[in-house]
Structure formats: structure tokens, C-alpha cells
Amino acid sequence: MHIFILSGQSNMAGRGGVIKTYDHHLHRTTQHWDGVVPPECSSDLSTHRLSAALRWEHAHEPLHADIDTKKVCGVGPGMNFANAVRRRVDSPLGLVPCAVGGTAIKEWARGEELYENMVKRAKESVKEDDKSAIKALLWYQGESDTSSEEDAEAYKVNMENLIQNVRQDLNLPSLPIIQVAIASGSEYMEKVREAQKAIDISNVMCVDAKGLQLKEDNLHLTTEAQVQLGQMLAEAYLTHFHPC
């Protein structure tokens, strides 16, 4: 099995198709996923996901439903990524969802719960089968670091540390990492984007989400944009890390 870790915050977890409605009985706004799965994100029997209980199961949208549990999850980039990769890779695929909405990069530092859980899940994904291998980490995070200049300025060093730590802790010194340059955020968004694009470490790629359509909240990608992002991530992986 070719295994991919999906990590970061809400745009990796997926908010595509999550809509707000006003509940007149509860007198408050509630959110729910519209349940629409684009054909590009359909399930396939050869694609699996590691559940929150650390069990492999059939992968389907929303991939992060039992991981990012404090929010409503919808369509993210993971399923379309898997479908696009599967057409070129003659192996079953395993997705390891780890993203949690609203999280800043300092919460992904070594020793913090989010980071340690990601490493634990990644290790668990290859534990049972010595033929399975972690092929890449897909990372989409940074919006939570755009509201303070201090956080934005620290982003590059924090991300470089995360890359170094996760490679060390998984004993994969050249693990491919494909990070997404953010498409939304607050006052210091451009500073975080610059940091993301400036990271110059071997086997670290950056794909740019800027220009992809955002929902009305101007923060989260639409379902259609998530489909496009999944394709972009797959092309980056296949071009740079799986040449054939």
C-alpha cells in the first residue's frame, strides 16, 4: 500500500459543501455538509483511510469526519488526490487524515498533541505490513498564523522544524512533503505565503492555492476548488516523486 499523510488545518480537512443554515427551533446558526460528492472524489475499493481508531477502512468523503471532530467536515483535496494518483500507481492507496481546523503551526510542534498524534498515526499505518510505505506528507496550513506579525514571521522556521522533526521521527530522512501555499487568511497572509514559498529543502514542494475559488466566508475552498487542489497535489506528486 502506498500511504499518504494528510495534515494541516481546515482546508485540508475539507469544508467543501459545508453550509450554514439558521435553525428557527434552536434560534442559532448551524452547519451541515450537503452530502454532494463530485465524481472526481468518488470512492474506490483500492483506496483506504486510517480511522481515528487506527483501523483501515474503505475511504470516502468526508475523509476527516472522525478526526476534525469539533467542526463539520465536507469535501477536501484527499479523495481526488488519491483517485488521480491511483490511475498511475499500480498499488492500493492508504490515506492517513490528521488535519484539524483552526490550528496554528506552533500547535504542530514536536511534543504537542497534534504533532504526536500525526506521528503515531503515520507509524501505525505501516505497522502491520512491511510492504506498505509512506510516500508523502500533504500539508495545508497557515491561515491561523496570518493574524499576528509575530506568528507570520516565525512561520518559516516553524515549518522547517516540522519537516525536520517528522522526517526524523518517522525515520524517513527524504520523505516527500507537498505543502500548499495558502489562499486566504488575515492581515499577514502574504508574509506566510512568502515563507511557504521560500522553504528550500530537498524533496519539499509547494503548490499554490491562490486563485482557487473561496466560499462566502473568504476562508475555505469550495468543493470545486478542492477538486482542483487534489488534482494539483497529485500532479506535483506524480511529476516529482513518482516519475514513470
XYZ file of all heavy atoms in Angstrom, residues 115-211:
759
model
N 0.898 17.142 16.807
C 2.087 16.569 16.149
C 2.273 15.105 16.553
O 2.483 14.234 15.694
C 3.335 17.381 16.516
C 4.601 16.770 15.958
C 5.033 17.071 14.665
C 5.351 15.868 16.711
C 6.177 16.485 14.141
C 6.487 15.280 16.194
C 6.902 15.593 14.916
O 8.038 15.003 14.385
N 2.203 14.848 17.843
C 2.442 13.482 18.324
C 1.381 12.514 17.793
O 1.673 11.362 17.479
C 2.485 13.453 19.860
C 3.621 14.272 20.470
C 5.016 13.840 20.029
O 5.206 12.652 19.690
O 5.926 14.701 20.010
N 0.143 12.989 17.673
C -0.915 12.146 17.128
C -0.665 11.844 15.647
O -0.874 10.722 15.186
C -2.272 12.830 17.316
C -3.428 11.895 17.006
O -3.451 10.750 17.465
N -4.375 12.362 16.219
N -0.199 12.859 14.900
C 0.124 12.650 13.483
C 1.219 11.595 13.328
O 1.104 10.676 12.501
C 0.555 13.973 12.850
C 1.061 13.842 11.422
S 1.409 15.450 10.639
C 2.872 15.977 11.564
N 2.268 11.702 14.122
C 3.380 10.742 14.055
C 2.910 9.343 14.451
O 3.232 8.348 13.792
C 4.565 11.214 14.928
C 5.609 10.114 15.089
C 5.200 12.469 14.331
N 2.112 9.284 15.504
C 1.577 7.992 15.950
C 0.738 7.339 14.851
O 0.861 6.135 14.576
C 0.729 8.198 17.215
C 0.016 6.951 17.723
C -0.927 7.324 18.862
C -1.823 6.143 19.233
N -2.836 6.543 20.226
N -0.127 8.123 14.232
C -0.992 7.587 13.170
C -0.153 7.147 11.963
O -0.419 6.108 11.354
C -2.049 8.623 12.767
C -3.121 8.804 13.832
C -4.102 9.932 13.530
N -4.809 9.758 12.265
C -5.740 8.828 12.042
N -6.092 7.990 12.988
N -6.327 8.755 10.864
N 0.850 7.949 11.630
C 1.709 7.594 10.496
C 2.455 6.282 10.765
O 2.523 5.397 9.897
C 2.700 8.724 10.223
N 2.979 6.141 11.959
C 3.694 4.895 12.312
C 2.744 3.701 12.295
O 3.093 2.609 11.825
C 4.330 5.032 13.702
C 5.562 5.926 13.711
C 6.136 6.017 15.124
C 7.434 6.813 15.128
N 7.958 7.017 16.498
N 1.545 3.916 12.815
C 0.544 2.837 12.861
C 0.173 2.378 11.447
O -0.112 1.201 11.221
C -0.695 3.342 13.605
C -1.663 2.269 14.039
C -1.141 1.405 15.193
O -0.312 1.877 15.984
O -1.588 0.238 15.264
N 0.196 3.296 10.499
C -0.238 2.975 9.127
C 0.669 1.952 8.451
O 0.244 1.274 7.515
C -0.318 4.254 8.291
O 0.971 4.739 7.968
N 1.919 1.857 8.892
C 2.845 0.898 8.256
C 3.213 -0.260 9.183
O 4.023 -1.112 8.830
C 4.140 1.610 7.781
C 3.848 2.512 6.598
C 4.790 2.405 8.898
N 2.580 -0.301 10.334
C 2.964 -1.266 11.361
C 2.683 -2.718 10.965
O 3.495 -3.601 11.209
C 2.183 -0.921 12.637
C 2.697 -1.586 13.886
C 2.048 -0.899 15.076
C 1.793 -1.878 16.187
N 1.004 -1.251 17.254
N 1.550 -2.937 10.336
C 1.096 -4.316 10.091
C 1.696 -4.936 8.831
O 1.626 -6.141 8.653
C -0.438 -4.347 9.965
C -1.184 -3.843 11.192
C -0.968 -4.714 12.409
O -0.923 -5.946 12.251
O -0.805 -4.164 13.505
N 2.261 -4.131 7.968
C 2.627 -4.638 6.641
C 3.952 -4.032 6.212
O 4.040 -2.838 5.938
C 1.511 -4.256 5.648
C 1.798 -4.765 4.244
O 2.816 -5.474 4.061
O 1.028 -4.445 3.329
N 5.000 -4.865 6.131
C 6.320 -4.333 5.784
C 6.436 -3.945 4.308
O 7.422 -3.359 3.885
C 7.437 -5.305 6.177
C 7.281 -6.690 5.553
O 6.395 -6.853 4.684
O 8.045 -7.592 5.933
N 5.396 -4.259 3.518
C 5.416 -3.842 2.109
C 4.790 -2.462 1.921
O 4.941 -1.846 0.873
C 4.667 -4.866 1.238
C 5.391 -6.193 1.108
C 4.593 -7.151 0.252
C 5.272 -8.526 0.243
N 4.353 -9.554 -0.232
N 4.052 -1.997 2.919
C 3.463 -0.662 2.833
C 4.523 0.385 3.131
O 5.448 0.144 3.905
C 2.313 -0.513 3.835
O 1.231 -1.327 3.459
N 4.382 1.560 2.508
C 5.367 2.626 2.725
C 4.688 3.982 2.659
O 3.789 4.205 1.837
C 6.469 2.538 1.671
N 5.129 4.889 3.536
C 4.644 6.273 3.497
C 5.348 6.979 2.349
O 6.574 7.048 2.301
C 4.920 6.987 4.829
C 4.146 6.289 5.962
C 4.515 8.459 4.740
C 4.552 6.734 7.351
N 4.566 7.464 1.395
C 5.124 8.039 0.173
C 5.230 9.555 0.214
O 6.054 10.142 -0.484
C 4.262 7.626 -1.034
C 4.307 6.136 -1.327
C 5.696 5.711 -1.743
C 5.766 4.246 -2.124
N 7.137 3.886 -2.552
N 4.368 10.227 0.992
C 4.423 11.695 1.056
C 3.543 12.198 2.190
O 2.601 11.523 2.623
C 3.977 12.329 -0.262
N 3.881 13.410 2.643
C 3.033 14.169 3.556
C 2.468 15.349 2.778
O 3.216 16.132 2.185
C 3.859 14.666 4.744
C 3.267 15.784 5.621
C 1.996 15.327 6.319
C 4.287 16.268 6.649
N 1.144 15.463 2.754
C 0.479 16.612 2.136
C 0.092 17.570 3.262
O -0.588 17.170 4.213
C -0.773 16.178 1.363
C -0.621 15.032 0.363
C -1.934 14.809 -0.388
C 0.513 15.277 -0.627
N 0.507 18.822 3.146
C 0.356 19.780 4.260
C -0.320 21.055 3.759
O 0.168 21.705 2.834
C 1.745 20.107 4.810
C 1.751 21.107 5.923
C 2.023 22.443 5.824
C 1.484 20.863 7.307
N 1.926 23.049 7.059
C 1.595 22.090 7.987
C 1.147 19.716 8.038
C 1.396 22.222 9.359
C 0.943 19.837 9.407
C 1.078 21.074 10.054
N -1.451 21.399 4.364
C -2.151 22.651 4.023
C -2.534 23.312 5.338
O -3.481 22.916 6.003
C -3.386 22.337 3.182
C -4.090 23.532 2.560
C -5.034 23.338 1.548
C -3.842 24.842 2.959
C -5.693 24.408 0.959
C -4.493 25.915 2.394
C -5.422 25.696 1.392
O -6.081 26.757 0.815
N -1.775 24.336 5.710
C -1.965 25.001 6.998
C -1.321 26.383 6.904
O -0.437 26.599 6.086
C -1.306 24.163 8.112
C -1.516 24.630 9.544
C -0.551 25.734 9.955
O 0.551 25.842 9.405
N -0.966 26.552 10.905
N -1.756 27.301 7.741
C -1.111 28.607 7.767
C -2.073 29.761 7.963
O -1.673 30.843 8.386
N -3.349 29.526 7.656
C -4.323 30.615 7.808
C -4.354 31.132 9.250
O -4.513 32.331 9.480
C -5.726 30.144 7.392
C -5.865 29.760 5.929
C -5.657 28.273 5.677
O -5.071 27.583 6.554
O -6.086 27.786 4.623
N -4.188 30.218 10.216
C -4.228 30.618 11.629
C -2.992 31.401 12.064
O -2.945 31.905 13.189
C -4.389 29.386 12.528
O -5.696 28.877 12.429
N -1.992 31.487 11.198
C -0.770 32.223 11.526
C -0.706 33.582 10.834
O 0.334 34.231 10.847
C 0.454 31.382 11.152
C 0.566 30.139 12.026
O -0.026 29.103 11.675
O 1.218 30.207 13.078
N -1.838 34.020 10.249
C -1.826 35.263 9.466
C -2.349 36.480 10.226
O -2.351 37.584 9.690
C -2.663 35.116 8.172
O -4.035 34.860 8.529
C -2.148 33.994 7.286
N -2.814 36.285 11.465
C -3.417 37.427 12.160
C -2.423 38.199 13.024
O -2.718 39.293 13.471
C -4.622 36.989 12.992
O -4.282 35.898 13.796
N -1.230 37.637 13.238
C -0.222 38.376 14.002
C 1.096 38.371 13.235
O 1.494 37.358 12.665
C -0.057 37.764 15.396
O 1.206 37.211 15.597
N 1.751 39.524 13.228
C 3.028 39.651 12.509
C 4.072 38.716 13.107
O 4.865 38.101 12.385
C 3.523 41.099 12.561
C 4.717 41.341 11.658
C 5.067 42.817 11.540
O 4.585 43.628 12.355
O 5.829 43.155 10.618
N 4.034 38.573 14.401
C 4.992 37.694 15.089
C 4.854 36.244 14.616
O 5.841 35.572 14.312
C 4.745 37.778 16.602
C 5.753 37.040 17.451
C 5.396 37.078 18.935
O 4.396 37.723 19.297
O 6.128 36.435 19.709
N 3.598 35.755 14.546
C 3.356 34.380 14.075
C 3.788 34.220 12.622
O 4.393 33.206 12.253
C 1.872 34.023 14.210
C 1.442 33.840 15.661
O 2.331 33.705 16.532
O 0.218 33.843 15.919
N 3.441 35.205 11.790
C 3.791 35.127 10.366
C 5.306 35.104 10.168
O 5.827 34.360 9.333
C 3.169 36.299 9.610
N 6.015 35.898 10.956
C 7.477 35.958 10.820
C 8.145 34.679 11.313
O 9.214 34.319 10.838
C 8.027 37.177 11.577
C 7.787 38.469 10.805
C 8.321 39.707 11.500
O 8.709 39.599 12.689
O 8.336 40.768 10.856
N 7.507 33.996 12.249
C 8.074 32.751 12.783
C 7.718 31.534 11.927
O 8.227 30.440 12.163
C 7.575 32.538 14.210
N 6.858 31.727 10.923
C 6.293 30.580 10.200
C 7.367 29.736 9.517
O 7.367 28.504 9.613
C 5.248 31.030 9.168
C 4.436 29.857 8.666
C 3.269 29.478 9.310
C 4.864 29.085 7.591
C 2.550 28.369 8.908
C 4.153 27.969 7.181
C 2.994 27.617 7.835
O 2.301 26.501 7.441
N 8.288 30.378 8.838
C 9.274 29.625 8.045
C 10.104 28.695 8.930
O 10.257 27.501 8.640
C 10.180 30.587 7.269
C 11.160 29.887 6.318
C 11.807 30.902 5.387
C 12.736 30.217 4.391
N 14.055 29.908 4.988
N 10.604 29.235 10.040
C 11.412 28.416 10.951
C 10.569 27.292 11.552
O 11.018 26.142 11.644
C 12.030 29.292 12.063
C 12.628 28.434 13.173
C 13.090 30.203 11.477
N 9.326 27.611 11.934
C 8.451 26.581 12.500
C 8.152 25.468 11.506
O 8.125 24.288 11.871
C 7.143 27.210 12.994
C 7.316 27.991 14.289
O 8.194 27.677 15.084
N 6.491 29.004 14.499
N 7.937 25.831 10.242
C 7.653 24.817 9.222
C 8.904 23.987 8.918
O 8.822 22.769 8.760
C 7.117 25.485 7.948
C 6.644 24.497 6.898
S 5.222 23.509 7.464
C 5.327 22.101 6.349
N 10.046 24.642 8.860
C 11.292 23.902 8.625
C 11.562 22.921 9.765
O 11.993 21.788 9.527
C 12.461 24.885 8.459
C 12.398 25.629 7.137
C 13.381 26.792 7.044
O 13.880 27.261 8.090
O 13.641 27.238 5.916
N 11.265 23.342 10.992
C 11.419 22.435 12.138
C 10.471 21.253 12.038
O 10.846 20.108 12.333
C 11.164 23.187 13.452
C 12.288 24.137 13.800
O 13.405 24.011 13.290
N 12.007 25.104 14.664
N 9.223 21.525 11.622
C 8.249 20.440 11.483
C 8.735 19.408 10.456
O 8.664 18.201 10.695
C 6.885 21.001 11.076
C 5.725 20.001 11.048
C 4.428 20.683 11.421
C 5.558 19.322 9.698
N 9.236 19.897 9.337
C 9.739 18.996 8.287
C 10.874 18.125 8.829
O 10.883 16.898 8.650
C 10.198 19.811 7.058
C 8.986 20.457 6.365
C 10.974 18.938 6.079
C 9.342 21.567 5.380
N 11.814 18.773 9.487
C 12.964 18.053 10.053
C 12.510 17.029 11.096
O 12.942 15.875 11.095
C 13.921 19.067 10.675
C 15.192 18.472 11.253
C 16.053 19.536 11.930
O 15.817 20.729 11.801
N 17.054 19.096 12.666
N 11.596 17.447 11.975
C 11.143 16.568 13.058
C 10.377 15.363 12.546
O 10.589 14.235 13.001
C 10.270 17.350 14.045
C 11.056 18.362 14.849
O 12.277 18.278 14.935
N 10.359 19.332 15.427
N 9.455 15.594 11.613
C 8.620 14.480 11.148
C 9.468 13.474 10.369
O 9.288 12.255 10.488
C 7.392 14.991 10.345
C 7.710 15.350 8.911
C 6.266 13.966 10.387
N 10.437 13.956 9.613
C 11.340 13.042 8.899
C 12.166 12.215 9.878
O 12.363 11.016 9.682
C 12.246 13.832 7.952
C 11.528 14.322 6.705
C 12.419 15.204 5.849
N 11.832 15.393 4.512
C 12.373 16.167 3.574
N 13.495 16.844 3.822
N 11.786 16.265 2.393
N 12.638 12.871 10.921
C 13.433 12.193 11.942
C 12.586 11.168 12.693
O 12.985 10.006 12.855
C 13.978 13.247 12.908
C 15.186 12.823 13.704
C 15.769 14.015 14.462
O 15.026 14.819 15.042
N 17.068 14.141 14.473
N 11.402 11.580 13.129
C 10.577 10.713 13.968
C 9.992 9.527 13.201
O 9.678 8.491 13.806
C 9.463 11.523 14.629
C 10.010 12.494 15.673
O 11.175 12.328 16.097
O 9.287 13.432 16.059
N 9.842 9.676 11.893
C 9.357 8.549 11.070
C 10.508 7.770 10.440
O 10.278 6.796 9.718
C 8.413 9.063 9.966
C 7.110 9.700 10.439
C 6.286 10.186 9.264
C 6.294 8.743 11.306
N 11.724 8.227 10.721
C 12.918 7.597 10.153
C 12.850 7.555 8.620
O 13.187 6.565 7.985
C 13.116 6.189 10.730
C 14.535 5.675 10.515
O 15.475 6.467 10.352
N 14.696 4.369 10.484
N 12.376 8.691 8.063
C 12.287 8.839 6.598
C 12.973 10.159 6.238
O 12.315 11.181 6.042
C 10.813 8.864 6.162
C 10.000 7.589 6.382
C 8.515 7.852 6.160
C 10.488 6.460 5.474
N 14.319 10.162 6.178
C 15.057 11.421 6.028
C 14.770 12.190 4.745
O 15.009 13.400 4.688
C 16.523 10.996 6.100
C 16.532 9.518 5.896
C 15.213 9.002 6.351
N 14.245 11.516 3.734
C 13.934 12.235 2.490
C 12.444 12.167 2.149
O 12.058 12.248 0.977
C 14.771 11.689 1.328
O 14.544 10.300 1.179
N 11.591 12.014 3.172
C 10.136 11.942 2.955
C 9.660 13.118 2.106
O 9.866 14.272 2.462
C 9.404 11.966 4.300
C 7.873 12.075 4.241
C 7.252 10.796 3.687
C 7.297 12.384 5.626
N 9.027 12.865 0.958
C 8.465 13.959 0.167
C 7.370 14.701 0.935
O 6.511 14.082 1.571
C 7.876 13.254 -1.062
C 8.658 11.985 -1.177
C 8.918 11.579 0.242
N 7.441 16.023 0.888
C 6.434 16.863 1.540
C 5.922 17.862 0.513
O 6.712 18.582 -0.112
C 7.020 17.570 2.779
C 7.301 16.512 3.862
C 6.055 18.636 3.307
C 8.168 16.949 4.989
N 4.612 17.855 0.303
C 3.993 18.807 -0.627
C 3.125 19.736 0.211
O 2.116 19.320 0.784
C 3.144 18.095 -1.696
C 3.978 17.032 -2.414
C 2.605 19.120 -2.701
C 3.190 16.148 -3.365
N 3.564 20.987 0.331
C 2.801 21.960 1.116
C 2.017 22.855 0.164
O 2.413 23.072 -0.978
C 3.719 22.768 2.039
C 4.877 23.435 1.355
C 5.490 24.570 2.176
O 5.018 24.911 3.255
N 6.535 25.175 1.656
N 0.901 23.334 0.669
C 0.042 24.223 -0.111
C 0.257 25.654 0.381
O 0.148 25.921 1.581
C -1.448 23.838 0.047
C -2.333 24.777 -0.782
C -1.680 22.385 -0.359
N 0.582 26.556 -0.533
C 0.628 27.978 -0.181
C -0.804 28.461 -0.026
O -1.643 28.279 -0.917
C 1.359 28.772 -1.264
N -1.089 29.071 1.116
C -2.470 29.405 1.480
C -3.104 30.412 0.510
O -2.412 31.202 -0.119
C -2.561 29.929 2.929
C -1.652 31.156 3.142
C -2.230 28.823 3.921
C -1.815 31.825 4.499
N -4.431 30.336 0.438
C -5.187 31.203 -0.467
C -6.040 32.209 0.291
O -6.733 33.025 -0.311
C -6.097 30.348 -1.349
N -5.997 32.140 1.612
C -6.866 33.011 2.410
C -6.223 33.229 3.767
O -5.269 32.543 4.144
C -8.249 32.369 2.583
O -8.133 31.105 3.222
N -6.767 34.195 4.500
C -6.223 34.479 5.818
C -6.469 35.920 6.202
O -7.306 36.610 5.618
N -5.710 36.405 7.176
C -5.891 37.755 7.702
C -4.787 38.685 7.195
O -4.229 38.480 6.128
C -5.920 37.708 9.234
O -6.961 36.858 9.679
N -4.456 39.649 8.022
C -3.598 40.763 7.619
C -2.229 40.338 7.080
O -1.699 40.945 6.150
C -3.409 41.682 8.846
C -2.692 42.972 8.551
C -2.586 43.842 9.796
O -3.222 43.525 10.827
O -1.856 44.837 9.735
N -1.658 39.280 7.647
C -0.286 38.903 7.277
C -0.237 37.664 6.384
O 0.730 36.912 6.397
C 0.564 38.711 8.543
C 0.647 39.990 9.349
C -0.160 40.168 10.483
C 1.478 41.036 8.959
C -0.123 41.350 11.215
C 1.527 42.221 9.677
C 0.725 42.374 10.805
O 0.767 43.543 11.518
N -1.290 37.476 5.596
C -1.360 36.320 4.698
C -0.172 36.270 3.745
O 0.439 35.220 3.543
C -2.667 36.363 3.899
C -2.810 35.232 2.909
S -4.382 35.322 2.008
C -3.852 36.069 0.492
N 0.175 37.418 3.140
C 1.267 37.416 2.158
C 2.597 37.045 2.799
O 3.435 36.394 2.178
C 1.367 38.768 1.449
C 0.268 39.003 0.414
C 0.160 37.900 -0.645
O 1.219 37.352 -1.053
O -0.967 37.575 -1.061
N 2.782 37.430 4.043
C 4.023 37.091 4.746
C 4.131 35.577 4.953
O 5.200 34.986 4.786
C 4.077 37.836 6.087
C 5.465 37.983 6.662
C 5.461 38.837 7.923
C 5.630 40.304 7.648
N 6.990 40.679 7.247
N 3.010 34.939 5.293
C 3.009 33.481 5.457
C 3.219 32.798 4.101
O 3.993 31.842 3.982
C 1.711 32.993 6.136
C 1.598 31.466 6.105
C 1.655 33.484 7.577
N 2.561 33.318 3.074
C 2.747 32.747 1.727
C 4.220 32.844 1.288
O 4.766 31.906 0.722
C 1.859 33.481 0.712
C 0.397 33.079 0.762
C -0.466 33.931 -0.159
N 0.072 34.053 -1.500
C 0.014 33.097 -2.441
N -0.585 31.957 -2.176
N 0.530 33.294 -3.635
N 4.826 33.984 1.543
C 6.247 34.149 1.198
C 7.103 33.119 1.926
O 8.023 32.541 1.349
C 6.719 35.561 1.564
C 6.259 36.637 0.588
C 6.403 38.040 1.179
O 7.226 38.210 2.119
O 5.681 38.957 0.713
N 6.798 32.911 3.200
C 7.541 31.926 3.989
C 7.383 30.520 3.401
O 8.352 29.766 3.276
C 7.057 31.951 5.435
N 6.149 30.184 3.028
C 5.889 28.851 2.477
C 6.657 28.638 1.171
O 7.243 27.585 0.939
C 4.382 28.671 2.255
C 3.613 28.594 3.571
C 2.114 28.653 3.390
O 1.585 29.348 2.519
N 1.383 27.920 4.227
N 6.649 29.662 0.338
C 7.300 29.520 -0.973
C 8.824 29.615 -0.873
O 9.525 29.199 -1.786
C 6.749 30.578 -1.938
C 5.272 30.318 -2.276
C 4.769 31.148 -3.441
C 4.457 32.567 -3.016
N 3.811 33.336 -4.103
N 9.316 30.153 0.245
C 10.768 30.332 0.401
C 11.465 29.108 0.989
O 12.691 29.070 1.050
C 11.039 31.549 1.274
N 10.700 28.132 1.436
C 11.333 26.951 2.042
C 12.083 26.182 0.960
O 11.513 25.771 -0.047
C 10.282 26.075 2.756
C 9.798 26.808 4.016
C 10.858 24.707 3.112
C 8.634 26.188 4.720
N 13.371 26.032 1.178
C 14.247 25.414 0.182
C 14.927 24.198 0.805
O 16.068 24.250 1.242
C 15.279 26.449 -0.294
C 16.156 25.910 -1.423
O 15.767 24.886 -2.022
O 17.225 26.495 -1.675
N 14.183 23.134 0.878
C 14.675 21.879 1.454
C 14.424 20.792 0.426
O 13.401 20.793 -0.247
C 13.932 21.549 2.774
C 14.170 22.653 3.820
C 14.347 20.198 3.325
C 13.365 22.500 5.096
N 15.355 19.871 0.309
C 15.207 18.844 -0.716
C 13.939 18.010 -0.479
O 13.564 17.736 0.662
C 16.464 17.978 -0.736
O 16.235 16.722 -0.276
N 13.280 17.666 -1.579
C 12.038 16.877 -1.567
C 10.875 17.593 -0.873
O 9.941 16.953 -0.383
C 12.240 15.501 -0.923
C 12.894 14.525 -1.886
O 13.266 14.888 -2.998
N 13.053 13.295 -1.458
N 10.920 18.923 -0.834
C 9.781 19.707 -0.348
C 9.273 20.564 -1.505
O 10.026 21.344 -2.083
C 10.161 20.613 0.846
C 8.963 21.464 1.273
C 10.649 19.767 2.021
N 8.028 20.365 -1.848
C 7.388 21.070 -2.966
C 6.313 22.001 -2.429
O 5.758 21.750 -1.377
C 6.658 20.068 -3.862
C 7.523 19.207 -4.732
S 7.817 20.040 -6.269
C 6.210 20.645 -6.708
N 5.993 23.014 -3.212
C 4.907 23.915 -2.835
C 3.956 24.065 -4.008
O 4.396 24.349 -5.137
C 5.477 25.275 -2.436
S 4.248 26.418 -1.771
N 2.676 23.833 -3.795
C 1.668 24.154 -4.799
C 0.864 25.338 -4.267
O 0.655 25.453 -3.057
C 0.743 22.959 -5.152
C 1.536 21.751 -5.587
C -0.167 22.602 -4.001
N 0.441 26.195 -5.169
C -0.171 27.459 -4.754
C -1.685 27.414 -4.924
O -2.190 27.209 -6.027
C 0.420 28.605 -5.589
C 0.167 29.966 -4.951
O -0.702 30.070 -4.076
O 0.865 30.929 -5.344
N -2.396 27.608 -3.816
C -3.867 27.594 -3.857
C -4.453 28.949 -4.237
O -5.663 29.059 -4.440
C -4.429 27.158 -2.509
N -3.600 29.976 -4.330
C -4.121 31.311 -4.626
C -4.811 31.304 -5.990
O -4.288 30.788 -6.973
C -2.996 32.345 -4.614
C -3.523 33.773 -4.523
C -2.423 34.755 -4.178
C -3.011 36.118 -3.836
N -1.962 37.091 -3.534
N -5.983 31.904 -6.042
C -6.750 31.907 -7.288
C -7.843 30.857 -7.312
O -8.782 30.950 -8.099
